[in-house]
Amino acid sequence: MLSQPGGMDLASYLQVLPSEQLGALYDSPWTCRALLRALLPLARLYVMRLLLTTDAVPKQIVDSWASHQGQPNHRAAVAQLQKLQLLRPTGAGMVQLHAGFQRQLQAAVSGGDLKEEARIPGEVAAAEPTADDLEAFVVTQWEGLLLYVAKAAGNPPGPPAGLGSLNVYELDTDTLLQEADLVGHTADESHVVSQVGSSFLLLGAYSQLWALLRPFIVLQERQGGAELASALSFLLRLGFRGVGRPLQLTALPEDERRIAAALAQIGLLAPFRVGGEVWAAPTKLARELAGGGGGDSAAPAAAGSGSIVVETNYRVYAYTSSPLQTAVLRLFVRCECLLPNLFVGTLTRQSVNDALKAGLTAESIVSYLVLHAHPRVLHRAPVVPEVVSDQIRLWEKEVNRVTMVPAYLYSDFESDDVWRGTCDEARRLGAHLWQAAPHPARQGKQAFKGALVSQAAVHPDIRIAIKTLKQRHGF
């Protein structure tokens, strides 16, 4: 299973890669441009300040760029640049940008123009999908995949028509989703949404895409496909390509054809035929690949310009006909009325608690409601009423207040010394949870011989300790 430390985006993905792979990635202009967009705003500013320097600069100069109040953001920006090996120490307290990364961005800001192939032939331009066709394609493929994750659809979308002549393997969607830890399977082979999968459904399109593409690249390498640097460069090249500007799939190398076919299956490329050739037009979703996650916009067809209104009485109105948005809202909102273009529900303690137990957080729920807010309420400050957002956070604290731990209760100790020695042993093992001291009989109440609760994992050790203490004290 692929672990996903940190956030689900390009920058956090590259942070965990070894130096040799990063070096190869920074030779790609597409990777460097996309990574610049994905950096923290302050880290991006530091890169631009250092971009045209020819020599290393003292680390003290970089540290002087932030005021005392800005030190937390400064440390976060520098830490991100260091983890990505973009800001590298050169000795004697000096630092310098990564040479390959610097070279690619210098070419970009000094007039370097990353032109794609020559103009699109007239017959191809005439046959390419319209904007409405691309939108409908995203709804079919991308929303279909998310509906499958949400268990609102029986099967994931298959490969779109027109890819047969490419002679590539069909993407195994179930394997990809399991590799991303979004779904699991029960004994009867039906799939269940994992806690990671529940949180995934509330993310914006940028984070959702990278949550899927990270395991996708791993699977490609495992199956002998394109190496990381070439696969990632091709993905990001598509992100910088204009929406609807087609590319010829049959002219691509085999590894890139396989990647393009998989991207078409999840809704990033809309394939079409012109004569005997297969072409594909990038959708709005493809543009998210290199978008940097600024605002982490919603999936293009999922929310449009926003549709949700939250009132102070916990009532939620969503002016939408999207089955996906309805399925996501049902994760944490009790549905009371569903019309063809309107979802009406209420945020209740039970609905929010069920969502929290499924893996959502209060912040992810509030962020989703803000991200998909209707334009008419965007001017409100805050967009989600404070009484609602505060109550959601309080319900989360109630759920997290008590933690269930398997434990054993020990009582009726033979003496105070046996009880005290057993408690000390539980503390030494790091398993002590609770204790009650023994006391003699008083006012008609029976004597209490002490009690101890410790974690179940150390039960054999506690039994041995009690036996030893009893023998030591003559019991």
Side-chain angles (χ1 to χ4, degrees):
M1 196 71 66
L2 177 72
S3 62
Q4 296 178 343
M8 296 181 185
D9 56 27
L10 176 62
S12 63
Y13 176 37
L14 298 186
Q15 285 178 13
V16 300
L17 296 179
S19 300
E20 58 273 12
Q21 287 186 320
L22 283 177
L25 286 168
Y26 294 157
D27 286 336
S28 164
W30 312 106
T31 303
C32 294
R33 291 187 177 195
L35 180 56
L36 181 66
R37 294 182 176 186
L39 293 175
L40 295 171
L42 195 56
R44 197 180 309 138
L45 175 62
Y46 290 172
V47 168
M48 299 310 295
R49 284 187 175 183
L50 296 170
L51 186 59
L52 299 180
T53 58
T54 55
D55 300 313
V57 299
K59 178 69 162 53
Q60 288 181 333
I61 290 181
V62 177
D63 290 337
S64 70
W65 289 341
S67 65
H68 177 72
Q69 294 82 0
Q71 284 300 315
N73 290 336
H74 168 75
R75 287 192 293 269
V78 171
Q80 185 184 49
L81 293 175
Q82 290 174 338
K83 289 177 182 178
L84 290 165
Q85 300 185 29
L86 296 180
L87 191 65
R88 312 180 79 175
T90 59
M94 309 289 282
V95 293
Q96 191 171 23
L97 280 181
H98 186 284
F101 182 82
Q102 185 178 24
R103 183 172 58 254
Q104 296 295 345
L105 288 187
Q106 282 178 348
V109 300
S110 60
D113 193 7
L114 297 175
K115 292 289 186 183
E116 287 282 351
E117 63 269 13
R119 68 176 185 84
I120 307 300
E123 62 273 17
V124 176
E128 67 184 37
T130 65
D132 290 341
D133 293 336
L134 292 176
E135 196 78 10
F137 180 78
V138 171
V139 171
T140 301
Q141 301 297 130
W142 177 249
E143 283 205 19
L145 179 65
L146 299 184
L147 284 169
Y148 176 72
V149 173
K151 297 198 69 175
N155 296 298
L163 290 178
S165 63
L166 289 181
N167 194 25
V168 292
Y169 295 105
E170 178 181 343
L171 175 67
D172 188 342
T173 310
D174 267 322
T175 300
L176 175 62
L177 295 177
Q178 290 183 63
E179 186 75 18
D181 197 22
L182 301 181
V183 302
H185 283 276
T186 60
D188 61 356
E189 296 302 319
S190 61
H191 84 278
V192 293
V193 187
S194 68
Q195 291 190 344
V196 176
S198 296
S199 300
F200 165 84
L201 291 169
L202 270 64
L203 297 174
Y206 178 76
S207 296
Q208 286 178 331
L209 281 172
W210 282 107
L212 285 176
L213 291 176
R214 292 166 65 168
F216 170 73
I217 293 173
V218 171
L219 290 174
Q220 286 291 308
E221 289 188 298
R222 191 181 300 166
Q223 296 168 1
E227 294 184 354
L228 173 66
S230 58
L232 199 55
S233 179
F234 176 68
L235 287 170
L236 295 172
R237 178 155 58 97
L238 293 176
F240 282 101
R241 195 178 181 88
V243 174
R245 187 168 186 269
L247 71 160
Q248 187 177 356
L249 299 190
T250 45
L252 296 176
E254 181 180 355
D255 287 341
E256 292 185 357
R257 282 204 308 271
R258 291 180 60 182
I259 296 174
L263 296 181
Q265 192 166 335
I266 62 176
L268 277 74
L269 292 173
F272 62 98
R273 288 178 172 278
V274 178
E277 304 294 336
V278 180
W279 292 71
T283 66
K284 291 181 180 179
L285 204 57
R287 187 173 56 191
E288 294 287 337
L289 286 174
D296 210 353
S297 63
S305 58
S307 62
I308 297 177
V309 176
V310 183
E311 295 185 338
T312 55
N313 59 0
Y314 303 92
R315 189 64 66 87
V316 176
Y317 300 92
Y319 297 90
T320 180
S321 57
S322 167
L324 174 60
Q325 191 164 39
T326 300
V328 172
L329 285 171
R330 286 180 183 272
L331 293 176
F332 57 90
V333 178
R334 185 183 70 192
C335 180
E336 297 179 349
C337 179
L338 184 61
L339 300 176
N341 63 345
L342 177 64
F343 172 97
V344 181
T346 304
L347 287 159
T348 66
R349 181 196 298 267
Q350 186 62 49
S351 66
V352 172
N353 284 351
D354 290 343
L356 296 172
K357 292 174 184 177
L360 302 185
T361 64
E363 289 305 321
S364 66
I365 293 173
V366 175
S367 297
Y368 181 86
L369 295 173
V370 173
L371 180 66
H372 295 262
H374 193 282
R376 290 290 183 89
V377 299
L378 285 176
H379 67 279
R380 294 193 320 203
V383 175
V384 176
E386 280 186 343
V387 65
V388 176
S389 57
D390 289 348
Q391 185 61 65
I392 293 174
R393 295 184 179 100
L394 286 173
W395 285 332
E396 181 180 46
K397 289 182 179 180
E398 287 181 1
V399 171
N400 297 336
R401 184 172 54 191
V402 179
T403 303
M404 304 295 289
V405 178
Y408 275 90
L409 168 66
Y410 307 92
S411 60
D412 294 331
F413 288 88
E414 281 73 11
S415 70
D416 290 5
D417 292 331
V418 175
W419 169 80
R420 190 173 295 105
T422 307
C423 293
D424 291 342
E425 179 66 11
R427 289 192 188 91
R428 189 187 69 79
L429 294 171
H432 182 281
L433 298 176
W434 175 83
Q435 69 182 49
H439 58 75
R442 57 176 181 262
Q443 296 181 356
K445 294 184 178 180
Q446 293 183 345
F448 178 63
K449 297 182 178 181
L452 166 69
V453 176
S454 68
Q455 295 179 18
V458 299
H459 176 59
D461 299 311
I462 296 295
R463 288 184 61 186
I464 294 173
I466 292 175
K467 184 177 180 180
T468 302
L469 287 166
K470 288 167 66 176
Q471 291 175 348
R472 183 184 303 166
H473 294 286
F475 295 104

